[in-house]
Amino acid sequence: MREELIKLLDKAYAPYSNFHVACIIEMMDGKYIPGVNVENASYGGAICAERNAITTAVAMGYKRGDFKKIYVMVSGDKLSTPCFICRQVITEFFDKDSEIVLMGKVGDSKTYKVSEMCPYPFDSEDL
Ligand code: THU
C-alpha cells in the first residue's frame, strides 16, 4: 500500500500549494479506489484526495456499507489528517468502526477509527 500511495502522489494536481495528497480506499469487495487532490486557479475549487476517491467510488456504484478502509498519504514530511469537509464526507459513507490509516512515506503510520477522527458528526439522524 505504501508503494502504491507514493506512486499515486505523483498524479496529484497541486501547482498552487505544491502539497500532494494521495488516498486509496479499500472496498469490501477487495477493490481499491484511488484519489488525489486536484487544485484550481480559483483556489476554492480544489478537490481533496479523500473526496475524490469517495466520489469516484460512488460514481462506480458503491454504496454506504461497501467502504472498508481509507489510506491517506501526503507529500510533506509529517502525517496529515483529513480536513473537516473530508471527515464529514467520510462519515457519510464509512461505518464508525472503519479505519483511517495515515501513512508516511518512510515507515511511519497511524491508524484511527472513523469514530475517533470524526466525533459528533452531523448525519442523516440530525435531519
Ligand atoms: N488536501 C487534501 O487533499 N486532503 C485533505 O484532507 C487536506 C487538504 C489538499 C487540498 C489542497 O489541494 C492541498 O491539500 C493543500 O490544502
Side-chain angles (χ1 to χ4, degrees):
M1 183 55 67
R2 177 168 279 112
E3 292 313 309
E4 290 304 313
L5 284 162
I6 289 171
K7 276 193 271 168
L8 192 56
L9 278 179
D10 277 344
K11 297 205 168 99
Y13 177 73
Y16 305 102
S17 71
N18 206 29
F19 186 78
H20 289 212
V21 186
C23 172
I24 295 178
I25 300 175
E26 183 179 344
M27 307 304 297
M28 292 294 187
D29 66 4
K31 297 252 167 48
Y32 291 91
I33 314 289
V36 294
N37 55 329
V38 179
E39 297 185 346
N40 194 277
S42 174
Y43 296 170
I47 299 167
C48 292
E50 297 90 327
R51 278 177 291 143
N52 188 347
I54 292 168
T55 53
T56 297
V58 171
M60 290 170 76
Y62 290 106
K63 313 269 185 246
R64 188 183 169 92
D66 297 334
F67 292 74
K68 186 171 180 189
K69 199 163 173 173
I70 182 163
Y71 296 86
V72 183
M73 180 181 282
V74 300
S75 58
D77 289 335
K78 296 181 294 183
L79 300 179
S80 181
T81 57
C83 80
F84 279 76
I85 306 172
C86 288
R87 293 187 205 199
Q88 183 65 32
V89 176
I90 287 168
T91 61
E92 186 75 23
F93 291 100
F94 285 80
D95 191 77
K96 62 179 171 41
D97 293 323
S98 310
E99 289 177 336
I100 300 173
V101 182
L102 310 179
M103 193 161 274
K105 287 175 286 182
V106 288
D108 47 333
S109 77
K110 210 158 176 193
T111 300
Y112 297 87
K113 288 254 163 104
V114 165
S115 55
E116 287 179 273
M117 185 70 79
C118 316
Y120 310 111
F122 177 83
D123 59 24
S124 56
E125 303 287 301
D126 292 300
L127 295 173

